Amino acid sequence: MEASGDIVRARAAGSPGPMAAAILVWCALAVVSSLYVTIPLTPLLADRFGVPLHAAAWPGSAFSLAYAIGLPVWGALSDRFGRKPVIVCGLIALAAVSPLNGLADSLAALVALRAVQGLAASSFAPAALAYAGEMYPPGRSVVVIGLITTGFMSAGVAGQIFAAAVERHMGWPYVFHLLGLIYGLSAAWLGGRLPGGTATRGEGRMADRFRTFLFLLRQKKLPPCYFIAGTLLLAFVGMYAGLEAALTREPFALGPGDMLLVRAAGLPGVLLSPLAGRLAARFGLRRVLRAGLAAAAAGLAAVAAGMAAPDAGLAAVAAGAPAPAIALTLVMPASFAVAAGIALAIPPLIAIIGRLGGEARAAAVTLYTFILFIGATLGPQVALWTLQASGRNFAPFLPLAVLMCASWLASRRVTG
């Protein structure tokens, strides 16, 4: 009741304006980009530290694992100390730790620092989404939360493009040095321009949160939703990790310019995420969810086919086109379909989980986010281990396509 009273008083004092929403969206893009910056760096890190590709993917996996673990912790802290203080402290911590990643002289040191970076980054999402829900009127809060979610999704492509461009012109350590500068400036901007709302929130105990998580997992209707959640970023991050490793080696051997095109191909698909609400209003949440999962599964199968084309002799069928041309022609539209499908699936899945969670809606969505980023932890490992074990460029995308098909089947059991 105390927290509800705080929300009412905050809204009565006047909701934040468009500038506050812009700050939150920018920070969403900047913070979550850190998850993806090591994807284009993975082959370079493997050479730099003399390790296999799947080992060089651990800086990214360590970040996402720590991110997942930190979400419920920071959520509880923002309940206790307020949303804005937690967001600002998290950005300051990111500004301090991010440059240290660029100074790492061993893979173990980089993995450890990335874990600390992921823990700091996990402060933003629970506090920012709660802030938007509390400080904006109900109608506008849905729009602002949708924009923040679009920032999260766009980071999947923007982070890769940023890292690849900085590495090419300045070297990989400067990816993290510049991120530190960005986070420092963002902390100052947000701290000075974002209305603070109420000073404190009601206390929440971590033990109570984890008991709620166990209760939710025992519900019959929620486990299919959480299974789907575990596959979404697993497939998304795994696809880009696999593309980075496979397309930069023979027979494709794409250069930085072509790889930029491959990464950028998914950005228009990601930007379709705000349309999910309108589509759901017309066709229903479950239909949009299933359509998104079907598109992602088909896209991953098409990526596998494009990567297998040279091995299958399709270069001759394509009038002698070289392998890089085949890859760009087939893989780019397919990666767009994957990104669009996942971007369209996430909003209705969140809405369904929130509805099924009932009075435990906040905990249900927090658990969804935790499972989502556990999937992001596993994605690069699945893709790169499969590539190394098989030696086939198309191999990383087959298990990802199978997982997305399994998610589509699981969506048939979703009843929310």
Side-chain angles (χ1 to χ4, degrees), residues 143-394:
V143 175
V144 175
I145 289 172
L147 291 173
I148 293 172
T149 303
T150 302
F152 292 151
M153 288 297 302
S154 300
V157 178
Q160 295 183 66
I161 294 174
F162 168 81
V166 173
E167 188 279 323
R168 182 181 180 185
H169 296 289
M170 304 176 69
W172 74 267
Y174 285 91
V175 172
F176 300 102
H177 298 334
L178 291 179
L179 280 175
L181 177 62
I182 289 170
Y183 294 137
L185 294 174
S186 298
W189 186 28
L190 185 145
R193 300 298 298 271
L194 190 73
T198 55
T200 61
R201 304 288 189 262
E203 295 189 38
R205 295 190 302 172
M206 287 302 301
D208 293 336
R209 286 174 176 260
F210 285 112
R211 278 194 290 269
T212 303
F213 293 163
L214 292 175
F215 168 78
L216 292 168
L217 289 172
R218 289 195 294 265
Q219 304 305 302
K220 292 183 178 180
K221 295 182 179 181
L222 279 169
C225 298
Y226 288 135
F227 173 80
I228 295 168
T231 65
L232 293 176
L233 284 192
L234 192 158
F236 186 73
V237 180
M239 178 188 73
Y240 279 109
L243 288 175
E244 183 68 35
L247 289 177
T248 53
R249 70 178 195 172
E250 295 296 338
F252 304 104
L254 296 187
D258 287 336
M259 285 305 302
L260 177 62
L261 293 176
V262 172
R263 298 184 192 102
L267 185 57
V270 166
L271 295 178
L272 293 178
S273 183
L275 295 178
R278 293 185 180 181
L279 292 174
R282 181 172 181 180
F283 300 106
L285 292 170
R286 285 176 292 173
R287 287 185 179 179
V288 176
L289 172 63
R290 291 168 186 168
L293 294 173
L300 284 164
V303 170
M307 300 301 289
D311 293 338
L314 296 184
V317 177
I326 296 175
L328 291 174
T329 301
L330 298 179
V331 171
M332 288 175 59
S335 66
F336 166 82
V338 175
I342 292 174
L344 289 175
I346 284 179
L349 182 62
I350 294 174
I352 290 170
I353 288 174
R355 182 182 298 173
L356 293 176
E359 294 183 359
R361 179 185 185 280
V365 174
T366 299
L367 181 57
Y368 149 83
T369 311
F370 173 82
I371 294 172
L372 186 76
F373 281 93
I374 291 295
T377 301
L378 298 175
Q381 302 299 324
V382 170
L384 297 180
W385 185 88
T386 306
L387 177 64
Q388 182 175 347
S390 68
R392 300 287 187 176
N393 287 316
F394 64 85

Side-chain angles (χ1 to χ4, degrees), residues 18 107 202 230:
L107 181 63

Side-chain angles (χ1 to χ4, degrees), residues 3 7 74-89 123-124 126-132 134-135 190 194 196 198-201 209:
I7 294 171
W74 284 109
L77 290 174
S78 74
D79 287 344
R80 177 63 183 88
F81 297 106
R83 313 307 183 190
K84 180 178 175 179
V86 165
I87 296 173
V88 173
C89 288
S123 63
F124 180 79
L129 293 174
Y131 179 93
E134 293 170 0
M135 295 295 292
L190 185 145
L194 190 73
T198 55
T200 61
R201 304 288 189 262
R209 286 174 176 260

